[in-house]
Amino acid sequence: MSKQKRYFLTEDDLPTHWYNVQADMPNKPGKMVNPVTKKEMTVDDLSHVFARECCVQELDQEHPWIEIPAEVREMYKSYRCTPLVRAYALEKALGTPAHIYFKNESVNPLGSHKINSALPQCYYCKQEGTTNVTTETGAGQWGAALSYAAKLFGLEAAVFQVKISMQQKPYRSSIMRTFGAVVEGSPSMSTKAGRRILTENPLHPGSLGTAISEAIELATSTSHCKYTLGSVLNHVTLHQTIIGLEAEKQMALAGEYPDIVIGCFGGGSNFGGISMPFLRHNFLDGKKTQFIAAEPESCPKLTRGKFGLDFGDEAGYTPLIPMLSIGHKFKPANIHAGGLRYHGSGAIVAELVRDGFVTAVDIPQLESFEASILFARTEGIIPAPESGHAIAEVIREAQKCKESGEEKVILFNLSGHGLIDMTAYEAYLHGDLQNFKVSEEEIAFNLREN
Amino acid sequence: MSKQKRYFLTEDDLPTHWYNVQADMPNKPGKMVNPVTKKEMTVDDLSHVFARECCVQELDQEHPWIEIPAEVREMYKSYRCTPLVRAYALEKALGTPAHIYFKNESVNPLGSHKINSALPQCYYCKQEGTTNVTTETGAGQWGAALSYAAKLFGLEAAVFQVKISMQQKPYRSSIMRTFGAVVEGSPSMSTKAGRRILTENPLHPGSLGTAISEAIELATSTSHCKYTLGSVLNHVTLHQTIIGLEAEKQMALAGEYPDIVIGCFGGGSNFGGISMPFLRHNFLDGKKTQFIAAEPESCPKLTRGKFGLDFGDEAGYTPLIPMLSIGHKFKPANIHAGGLRYHGSGAIVAELVRDGFVTAVDIPQLESFEASILFARTEGIIPAPESGHAIAEVIREAQKCKESGEEKVILFNLSGHGLIDMTAYEAYLHGDLQNFKVSEEEIAFNLREN
């Protein structure tokens, strides 16, 4: 009768180190390249833009364990660990023999996993004498987390929010402003990159690519200002491994080990965060866990992108990053999962997909909302539209188990809640949302333009 | 360096019984009275409206411990216990020697403490053969929790939401609809009570009092339908004592005992929930804890109301309840803390205030938002405007400690988050909110009208 539903760690059991998967990968992820000189980027090159310590972490392919600074670990303790939850009610509704667990990052400050990297990034900026930080944000989860972290460290924050997301979920801008941040819709008229984009297309809805360009431009043209990024890069994945490292200990408390680990995929931060610590055991201990990245059908870089060097942003301000991409000028459809509207995969996951350690699926928008509503009605949490993509894939796998009778253990990351996205839910309930499948021609066109 | 910040209980340590403070009160709370016959209401009388078991609990002045049904306890386990958090960052910002703890009910399903009573009320309704439930909701916290609980038990839910709250926070209606509930703004044209109110005042913004009238009318005119209530009544306070019972064990883990317990006050559900288990030790073990209810300046029934029999709703459908009231036809100002816009105190707290066990303070709206923003910027959680009233009083007490040098232990209930209330925060940041002090004349007029 009494089955344990949630697993917690004591503060003493919280991880002391992040896990740097680069050190254990059989094939190392490609290096970033200077687009002009074609040389590999060094820490010195990168630290014009990012906090230096983040650049060191970015390029570290040697050390599997990176110590979490004591001050950051203290801050983690104010909200971590997050619960590992057995989703009995969802299992029951699906009639599946699968055991479904989720790591609930939605109860973090600001409602998503993003705070896990916002804290160390702001910490390093502060340590290094930075006074201002800039960033991009799609749905606003990262921008909100960054605004809070900046405030904690006494930094000024300026956030470029993707314009369509700003319109879809105005409350997120309000949240950022509540934390004292300046928020600007991207593309904006306040940067050269933004003005160029708007000149070409005055109605451009923005994308993570455009917002990154604008934030980098502001950072590099302002003194004592650094740029921070919420996903894509290796050091962000590193910080997010706190999720999987906790989950590993919590799954042990539950007496189980995942057969399948699932995360939604935009730039890879929450997917990498939950997956890498378990993937380590595939590398080192012969485990056979499957890792599935759930991306939106409308932005299919993992399932239909091309591997190669591409810019991380629309304007081409970033170095060239070795990744799976559908082209840095790809203009994603206006789906509500704003955090997944990104054209590239980041270097680590690109390599892992090529090497067969990670598989990817693409999820239509309507399926993601259907899954989210079932999850809400069973588990009582309205998921972020991004997380809905992970849930949709969980449901697909659980249904396969129902057919086969297999009692697989499925773990997924509930990366955030969707309370700021009620407009999207309301639209879904009224039948006003649609799917957006990208044509072969569009992908080919964008890759040619690259 | 490493100070513990959050305290949790294991599932085995979760309370098995709710605490019924009525049994231990030196002076029992007054009984509800039939307005026509002037006789005390019996379980039979009340069970036309409420689930019978709730009526039994309502009138129970004998048993201090009421067992939580096994099925409800299993559901509690999917989200409880909630964290007890030491607010170090807030303490530091205030420079106070006080130790501030909060019980974080904002991480519950639907974002507030309301689910704690929604689950047992729906459970009892289901057990007793009910198929439909109705209710009122102000800010929408209760309506959202009830919608989810109803869905879990396979009941149909109809919610009357206070019209001004519906306009101030439209996302809450969307949340309720996401859980399959029917939502109607109150006053509405769908009930006699609503039509009468709108005829007298077509622009009536609604109040908890009007919404209760409409929900009761629908329940009593529909077969197999019961009314459920989110606050005010004794059985609701009973269910909410799960908060204080957990907090008691968690404070013991922290090695402390509260000198002051604070909750915001609308009808008393969250205040009673956190206070009653500690008040028990004032009654029985000679503890001297202070209990402070923080009400809005604009709806000051505890600080300026009159003790006596009054209706619980606008239309006078409820029995007469012995309480502190500013009159059941009082039309509260349109503050954003919609959950506190209620004219009466409920019987238990009315008696406790009279007997000096509970004190009350009134908080201006602007002070509540100022407090909320400081809390957000330090603890990373945007509080519900209701909870902001508790935080404002916490800050007042912490500042007194700063002046006196006393290391008091202050515990408060963070009853919910304010993510659906960003419009209010944005308005506050822009200087568009105001205070609403009620004049003596208005209170006197309303009490005369009673």
Side-chain angles (χ1 to χ4, degrees):
Chain A
M1 165 89 207
S2 183
K3 302 168 289 189
Q4 195 167 344
K5 293 185 172 167
R6 302 200 307 163
Y7 299 88
F8 284 98
L9 304 175
T10 64
E11 287 188 6
D12 291 342
D13 272 338
L14 289 189
T16 55
H17 293 68
W18 294 301
Y19 173 58
N20 176 21
V21 71
Q22 296 189 74
D24 289 332
M25 285 168 67
N27 297 315
K28 301 298 176 199
K31 293 273 178 68
M32 285 190 277
V33 167
N34 181 310
V36 180
T37 66
K38 307 294 178 196
K39 285 191 187 158
E40 285 184 4
M41 298 293 287
T42 64
V43 168
D44 282 343
D45 296 335
L46 290 170
S47 60
H48 291 296
V49 176
F50 300 101
R52 187 171 185 89
E53 186 59 30
C54 291
C55 305
V56 171
Q57 294 171 351
E58 184 66 23
L59 300 182
D60 187 333
Q61 300 195 333
E62 274 179 56
H63 305 94
W65 299 104
I66 311 278
E67 190 168 3
I68 304 171
E71 198 175 332
V72 172
R73 195 158 179 267
E74 281 304 301
M75 287 175 165
Y76 278 171
K77 286 184 183 174
S78 69
Y79 67 95
R80 305 203 68 87
C81 74
T82 59
L84 177 79
V85 187
R86 173 85 183 261
Y88 284 110
L90 177 63
E91 288 173 19
K92 191 175 157 201
L94 293 169
T96 180
H99 295 192
I100 302 175
Y101 292 85
F102 64 94
K103 186 73 170 154
N104 187 0
E105 294 289 309
S106 81
V107 293
N108 289 343
L110 286 311
S112 84
H113 68 295
K114 294 292 190 185
I115 188 70
N116 303 327
S117 185
L119 288 172
Q121 289 194 51
C122 286
Y123 168 79
Y124 293 127
C125 283
K126 182 72 180 180
Q127 289 287 103
E128 297 172 14
T130 298
T131 56
N132 291 58
V133 287
T134 70
T135 200
E136 86 298 334
T137 197
Q141 301 267 30
W142 167 249
L146 198 273
S147 302
Y148 169 51
K151 179 59 69 182
L152 278 182
F153 286 104
L155 303 167
E156 298 298 326
V159 181
F160 287 90
Q161 183 174 16
V162 174
K163 205 176 269 175
I164 180 70
S165 283
M166 205 173 203
Q167 290 161 1
Q168 285 168 339
K169 32 204 119 187
Y171 283 13
R172 273 268 161 59
S173 320
S174 302
I175 291 174
M176 292 184 259
R177 279 190 287 271
T178 299
F179 285 95
V182 173
V183 188
E184 184 90 348
S186 174
S188 79
M189 291 300 282
S190 66
T191 65
K192 279 186 227 166
R195 286 193 291 274
R196 182 194 45 77
I197 297 164
L198 285 175
T199 306
E200 288 173 12
N201 180 356
L203 296 177
H204 197 300
S207 68
L208 284 162
T210 69
I212 292 173
S213 296
E214 295 202 81
I216 291 180
E217 186 180 319
L218 180 60
T220 52
S221 60
T222 308
S223 59
H224 303 292
C225 182
K226 285 287 158 76
Y227 170 66
T228 61
L229 185 62
S231 193
V232 183
L233 295 181
N234 304 341
H235 68 273
V236 183
T237 301
L238 174 76
H239 303 155
Q240 293 294 353
T241 58
I242 188 86
I243 302 170
L245 292 166
E246 284 180 3
E248 196 188 331
K249 295 188 184 188
Q250 289 166 302
M251 290 298 297
L253 292 177
E256 305 225 66
Y257 191 88
D259 297 304
I260 306 175
V261 175
I262 295 170
C264 62
F265 197 94
S269 75
N270 99 83
F271 172 77
I274 193 154
S275 297
M276 298 311 151
F278 290 100
L279 181 57
R280 176 169 177 266
H281 298 292
N282 280 29
F283 293 151
L284 306 180
D285 312 325
K287 292 281 188 192
K288 304 281 186 205
T289 301
Q290 259 187 289
F291 298 88
I292 308 177
E295 68 181 5
E297 182 189 45
S298 56
C299 198
K301 67 261 188 175
L302 295 179
T303 51
R304 299 168 65 197
K306 191 176 115 187
F307 182 81
L309 287 169
D310 196 4
F311 289 106
D313 68 323
E314 211 271 352
Y317 288 160
T318 70
L320 289 164
I321 306 172
M323 57 184 181
L324 283 160
S325 171
I326 43 177
H328 68 279
K329 287 193 183 290
F330 181 76
K331 195 155 64 63
N334 297 342
I335 58 167
H336 285 269
L340 308 185
R341 294 176 72 251
Y342 187 68
H343 66 278
S345 68
I348 291 174
V349 169
E351 191 56 45
L352 293 172
V353 169
R354 289 176 87 197
D355 296 344
F357 288 109
V358 166
T359 54
V361 293
D362 61 335
I363 305 285
Q365 174 161 265
L366 296 180
E367 184 181 343
S368 75
F369 274 94
E370 188 187 359
S372 293
I373 286 179
L374 178 62
F375 184 79
R377 290 181 177 183
T378 49
E379 299 295 326
I381 304 167
I382 293 184
E386 292 81 1
S387 314
H389 290 72
I391 298 168
E393 174 58 15
V394 168
I395 291 173
R396 287 184 185 178
E397 295 297 326
Q399 279 165 341
K400 284 186 212 162
C401 289
K402 186 176 179 181
E403 284 155 27
S404 68
E406 284 175 290
E407 264 193 27
K408 284 192 182 171
V409 176
I410 302 172
L411 168 66
F412 78 98
N413 195 31
L414 184 72
S415 54
H417 65 65
L419 292 172
I420 305 300
D421 301 275
M422 293 317 301
T423 309
Y425 278 90
E426 191 84 296
Y428 173 77
L429 291 171
H430 286 90
D432 294 340
L433 294 191
Q434 54 177 310
N435 292 330
F436 297 94
K437 198 167 176 72
V438 188
S439 69
E440 287 303 331
E441 293 69 30
E442 190 178 347
I443 292 178
F445 173 82
N446 272 284
L447 288 173
R448 255 199 320 275
E449 288 287 294
N450 248 16
Chain B
M1 166 90 205
S2 183
K3 303 169 287 190
Q4 195 167 341
K5 293 184 171 166
R6 303 199 305 163
Y7 299 88
F8 283 99
L9 305 174
T10 65
E11 286 189 6
D12 290 343
D13 272 338
L14 290 189
T16 55
H17 293 70
W18 294 301
Y19 173 59
N20 177 20
V21 70
Q22 295 187 76
D24 289 331
M25 285 167 68
N27 297 315
K28 301 298 176 199
K31 293 274 179 69
M32 284 190 278
V33 167
N34 181 311
V36 180
T37 66
K38 307 293 178 198
K39 285 192 187 157
E40 285 184 4
M41 298 293 287
T42 65
V43 168
D44 282 342
D45 297 335
L46 289 171
S47 60
H48 292 295
V49 176
F50 300 101
R52 188 172 186 88
E53 186 58 31
C54 291
C55 305
V56 172
Q57 294 171 353
E58 184 67 24
L59 301 182
D60 187 333
Q61 301 195 332
E62 272 180 58
H63 305 94
W65 299 104
I66 311 279
E67 189 168 3
I68 303 171
E71 198 174 333
V72 172
R73 195 158 178 267
E74 281 304 301
M75 288 175 164
Y76 278 171
K77 286 184 184 175
S78 68
Y79 68 96
R80 304 206 68 88
C81 75
T82 58
L84 176 79
V85 186
R86 173 85 183 262
Y88 283 110
L90 177 64
E91 288 174 17
K92 190 176 155 198
L94 294 170
T96 179
H99 295 192
I100 303 175
Y101 292 84
F102 64 93
K103 186 74 169 153
N104 187 0
E105 294 289 309
S106 80
V107 293
N108 289 343
L110 286 312
S112 83
H113 68 294
K114 293 292 189 186
I115 189 70
N116 303 328
S117 185
L119 289 171
Q121 290 194 51
C122 286
Y123 168 79
Y124 293 127
C125 282
K126 183 72 180 182
Q127 289 286 103
E128 297 172 15
T130 297
T131 57
N132 291 56
V133 287
T134 70
T135 199
E136 87 299 333
T137 196
Q141 302 267 32
W142 168 249
L146 198 271
S147 301
Y148 169 52
K151 179 58 70 180
L152 279 181
F153 286 104
L155 303 167
E156 298 296 327
V159 181
F160 288 90
Q161 182 174 15
V162 174
K163 204 176 270 175
I164 180 69
S165 284
M166 205 174 203
Q167 290 160 0
Q168 285 169 338
K169 32 205 121 187
Y171 283 14
R172 273 271 161 57
S173 320
S174 300
I175 291 174
M176 292 184 259
R177 279 190 286 269
T178 299
F179 286 94
V182 172
V183 188
E184 183 91 348
S186 174
S188 79
M189 291 300 282
S190 65
T191 65
K192 280 187 229 166
R195 287 193 291 274
R196 184 198 38 81
I197 296 164
L198 284 176
T199 306
E200 289 173 11
N201 179 357
L203 295 177
H204 196 299
S207 69
L208 284 162
T210 69
I212 292 173
S213 295
E214 295 201 82
I216 291 180
E217 186 180 319
L218 179 60
T220 51
S221 59
T222 309
S223 59
H224 303 292
C225 183
K226 286 287 157 77
Y227 169 66
T228 61
L229 184 62
S231 193
V232 183
L233 295 180
N234 304 342
H235 67 275
V236 183
T237 301
L238 174 76
H239 303 155
Q240 294 293 354
T241 58
I242 187 86
I243 302 170
L245 292 166
E246 285 180 1
E248 195 186 332
K249 294 187 186 190
Q250 289 166 301
M251 289 299 297
L253 291 177
E256 305 223 65
Y257 192 88
D259 298 303
I260 306 176
V261 175
I262 295 170
C264 63
F265 197 95
S269 74
N270 100 83
F271 172 77
I274 194 155
S275 298
M276 297 311 152
F278 290 99
L279 182 56
R280 177 170 176 265
H281 299 291
N282 280 28
F283 293 151
L284 306 179
D285 312 324
K287 292 280 187 192
K288 303 280 185 205
T289 301
Q290 258 187 290
F291 299 89
I292 307 177
E295 68 180 5
E297 182 190 46
S298 56
C299 198
K301 67 261 187 174
L302 295 179
T303 50
R304 299 168 65 195
K306 190 176 117 188
F307 183 81
L309 287 168
D310 196 3
F311 289 107
D313 67 323
E314 210 272 352
Y317 288 161
T318 71
L320 290 165
I321 305 172
M323 57 183 181
L324 282 159
S325 172
I326 43 177
H328 69 280
K329 286 191 183 293
F330 181 75
K331 195 156 63 61
N334 297 342
I335 58 167
H336 285 268
L340 307 185
R341 294 175 71 250
Y342 187 69
H343 65 279
S345 69
I348 291 175
V349 170
E351 191 58 45
L352 292 172
V353 169
R354 290 176 87 197
D355 295 345
F357 289 108
V358 166
T359 55
V361 293
D362 61 337
I363 305 286
Q365 173 160 267
L366 295 182
E367 185 181 343
S368 76
F369 275 94
E370 188 187 0
S372 292
I373 285 180
L374 178 62
F375 185 79
R377 292 181 177 184
T378 49
E379 299 296 326
I381 305 165
I382 293 183
E386 292 82 1
S387 313
H389 290 72
I391 297 169
E393 174 58 14
V394 168
I395 291 173
R396 287 183 186 179
E397 295 297 327
Q399 280 166 342
K400 282 186 214 162
C401 289
K402 187 177 178 180
E403 284 156 27
S404 67
E406 285 176 291
E407 263 192 28
K408 284 193 182 171
V409 176
I410 302 173
L411 168 68
F412 77 97
N413 195 30
L414 184 72
S415 55
H417 65 65
L419 291 172
I420 304 300
D421 301 276
M422 292 319 301
T423 309
Y425 278 90
E426 191 84 297
Y428 174 77
L429 291 172
H430 285 90
D432 294 341
L433 294 191
Q434 55 178 308
N435 292 329
F436 297 94
K437 198 166 175 74
V438 188
S439 69
E440 286 304 331
E441 293 69 29
E442 189 178 347
I443 292 178
F445 172 81
N446 271 285
L447 288 172
R448 255 199 320 274
E449 286 289 291
N450 249 15

